[in-house]
Amino acid sequence: MRRVIDNDYLTLLARLGIGLMFIYASAYKIVEPESFAKSIWYYHLVPGKLINLVALIMPWLELIVGLALILGVYYRGAVVWTNLMTLLFIGALCSVIVRGISIDCGCFKASDASSGSAWTTLLFDLTVILFAVQLFFSKSKRWMLARN
Amino acid sequence: MKSTTSQLVVLLIIASILGLVRNIVPANSIDYIGKWRTLSNGDDPIVPPNADKGDPPFISINIAQMEHMAGGAVFIDAREVSEFECGTIPGSVSIPFEYLPDENIDTYVDSALGGLEKDHPTIIFCSGEECDLSLHLARNMQDFGYTNMMIFFGGSREWDNYGLEIERRVECEE
């Protein structure tokens, strides 16, 4: 098990996969912060006054964490942020499913209050967290720009 | 552990600076402090005592606001025109129930809604709890074949009380 977790190629694959996903996911949110703020509002989890701040900062955090994962810079911090953000997304999705709110996740584009892909996204995020946890425990340091 | 914590903080600070500075650029910038209404825990709709089982579903202010922001549903104001013009939910269509014509009401409603598909989502409201024009209009529209209606019984007053935007066309009469 240890050898699988520490496998250089698996670690690189997880870094690239999650990193590119975060960068891609951040794009629309950075360009359209108002749409993303609306997506956050649909979840009913963030106090109204803080929604815009979260909408302004979180996409950049995704972008920077994505880049850090791929480049291997500030790597430990990026891996922990990856786990924290993915757990946050999973928690948010679970909460809307439990409360019966029918929304698209707003992960890669603005949420639509009437569509319901929360389950699909939850399955996707559960897959992502598996790789994020693997990165957390992996001791592989190959193909990184900085010693972390 | 210490270096991981410091990396976490550095990444967050960089993201915060970039996010806040990028918002200085006018294109697509937003207020730093949002005016989003924090939804109440109670998401129960107001249901009038004279509601029947066959009536369209009653929705809460939370759902009404979400539907309004999503933009898919047509909001219908059942109050008289002067009240509608004085202040209504933005983008609403006026169908004053008390001033419907004596004949061909269905044609009138169809025309007011611009030939909307009968199964298109509509949300009917009037002024608030004391007003059941929305209920009566919804029942009539059911008879005309409309199948996807909701009633926002909190009405324009609850909408206004929650600080949501009101569209005003004329000065309100005293």
Side-chain angles (χ1 to χ4, degrees):
Chain A
M1 188 66 182
R2 186 74 245 176
R3 284 175 61 186
V4 173
I5 290 173
D6 291 341
N7 183 282
D8 289 334
Y9 293 99
L10 179 64
T11 303
L12 179 66
L13 182 73
R15 281 169 53 200
L16 292 178
I18 297 176
L20 289 172
M21 181 199 71
F22 271 5
I23 292 169
Y24 175 69
S26 70
Y28 106 82
K29 301 169 189 168
I30 289 173
V31 176
E32 297 180 39
E34 188 164 6
S35 297
F36 182 48
K38 190 193 287 186
S39 300
I40 297 171
W41 182 81
Y42 281 137
Y43 281 86
H44 309 176
L45 289 173
V46 180
K49 289 189 189 316
L50 296 181
I51 285 177
N52 282 8
L53 283 175
V54 174
L56 288 171
I57 294 169
M58 184 182 271
W60 287 95
L61 188 60
E62 285 183 298
L63 177 66
I64 288 167
V65 166
L67 288 171
L69 280 180
I70 292 170
L71 298 175
V73 180
Y74 282 90
Y75 181 71
R76 288 305 301 169
V79 167
V80 174
W81 270 123
T82 299
N83 279 273
L84 289 175
M85 285 197 287
T86 310
L87 285 173
L88 178 75
F89 300 152
I90 289 171
L93 285 165
C94 287
S95 82
V96 296
I97 289 170
V98 167
R99 289 178 294 160
I101 301 172
S102 178
I103 57 170
D104 181 24
C105 73
C107 315
F108 301 104
K109 60 178 179 56
S111 276
D112 178 343
S114 58
S115 64
S117 64
W119 277 107
T120 313
T121 313
L122 181 60
L123 286 175
F124 179 78
D125 280 351
L126 288 172
T127 310
V128 172
I129 196 71
L130 280 178
F131 286 100
V133 169
Q134 185 265 327
L135 288 180
F136 185 81
F137 288 108
S138 173
K139 292 192 173 79
S140 171
K141 299 286 180 194
R142 286 187 71 182
W143 301 301
M144 292 188 190
L145 284 184
R147 289 182 177 276
N148 292 277
Chain B
M1 185 64 195
K2 190 181 172 187
S3 88
T4 302
T5 307
S6 64
Q7 286 186 12
L8 278 172
V9 173
V10 168
L11 290 170
L12 181 61
I13 289 173
I14 295 171
S16 301
I17 291 171
L18 288 172
L20 299 179
V21 169
R22 178 254 169 260
N23 199 47
I24 294 171
V25 180
N28 289 340
S29 66
I30 58 176
D31 294 337
Y32 289 102
I33 303 298
K35 292 175 182 151
W36 304 91
R37 186 172 65 82
T38 303
L39 298 178
S40 54
N41 291 329
D43 196 22
D44 296 329
I46 299 170
V47 179
N50 56 338
D52 289 335
K53 272 189 176 176
D55 289 331
F58 293 85
I59 61 171
S60 67
I61 176 73
N62 291 348
I63 302 297
Q65 188 184 3
M66 285 182 71
E67 291 287 354
H68 191 263
M69 294 185 73
V74 172
F75 280 66
I76 301 173
D77 190 336
R79 300 171 301 166
E80 62 179 270
V81 174
S82 63
E83 292 175 291
F84 169 78
E85 291 182 332
C86 166
T88 190
I89 296 173
S92 299
V93 175
S94 172
I95 303 183
F97 180 74
E98 287 179 322
Y99 296 91
L100 291 177
D102 295 332
E103 294 178 351
N104 301 323
I105 303 177
D106 53 342
T107 312
Y108 175 86
V109 170
D110 291 347
S111 170
L113 292 175
L116 199 70
E117 295 290 324
K118 301 277 184 179
D119 60 352
H120 190 94
T122 52
I123 296 174
I124 307 170
F125 66 95
C126 51
S127 54
E129 289 177 61
E130 80 291 352
C131 165
D132 53 9
L133 298 175
S134 54
L135 180 59
H136 295 305
L137 178 60
R139 286 173 178 170
N140 275 266
M141 285 176 63
Q142 275 182 324
D143 294 339
F144 304 151
Y146 287 89
T147 57
N148 197 359
M149 292 176 290
M150 291 166 270
I151 301 175
F152 171 41
F153 211 71
S156 59
R157 186 180 306 111
E158 189 179 21
W159 187 270
D160 196 16
N161 286 345
Y162 274 93
L164 301 177
E165 185 186 353
I166 292 283
E167 183 177 8
R168 300 186 193 283
R169 291 175 172 80
V170 297
E171 288 279 320
C172 299
E173 296 170 11
E174 287 299 318

